[in-house]
Amino acid sequence: MESPLSKVVELRPCTQGYSLLLKVLSAKPVAVHRPGGGGGFRQGQQPQMRISECIVGDDTGVVVFTARNEQVDVMKVGATVELKNAKVDMYKGSMRLAVDKRGTVKAVESPSSQLKVKEDNNLSLIEFEQVTMVM
């Protein structure tokens, strides 16, 4: 059974299981590195990891999406993408949307290509503070 689509404004820190239909507003490569550091690629080593920070959104707001490896190829500016089983990670007190191996990222072609994005509500600009409750 398909889970209903969530909206950006519904995202909360450290939660998961979101399905979203989003438009890619920007995509900026931020890192190309090999796990474990080190210099050149040698046989038996893992290939390099590609990471891109993308601004994605819908009619309720925008958020930073961290694309990894093959996800980087899908996140083209202007594309409409469907994220399934997305999660919200925290980075320096702000929300970052991500999809790990349990989820999917795919480009979709539909009337939603005309998706209007509320760009003045960036949830990644809201700074959260972790509060520990002692009972």
Side-chain angles (χ1 to χ4, degrees), residues 22-43:
L22 305 168
K23 187 166 195 168
V24 181
L25 302 180
S26 71
K28 182 178 88 173
V30 293
V32 176
H33 71 278
R34 291 179 176 81
F41 179 77
R42 290 187 288 282
Q43 192 155 353

Side-chain angles (χ1 to χ4, degrees), residues 59-125:
D59 60 347
T60 66
V62 297
V63 67
V64 173
F65 173 75
T66 304
R68 291 177 173 85
N69 298 323
E70 65 277 351
Q71 296 172 357
V72 172
D73 301 325
V74 178
M75 304 304 286
K76 303 290 184 208
V77 174
T80 300
V81 295
E82 181 181 50
L83 308 183
K84 290 205 175 174
N85 203 21
K87 63 181 182 173
V88 179
D89 291 327
M90 298 302 292
Y91 178 73
K92 294 184 178 178
S94 66
M95 294 195 299
R96 296 285 191 270
L97 195 59
V99 173
D100 63 18
K101 62 184 175 234
R102 292 180 293 265
T104 58
V105 177
K106 69 176 184 179
V108 293
E109 289 187 36
S110 69
S112 60
S113 301
Q114 307 306 316
L115 189 64
K116 299 284 184 236
V117 178
K118 183 173 174 60
E119 294 184 48
D120 61 354
N121 185 26
N122 188 337
L123 272 66
S124 290
L125 293 179

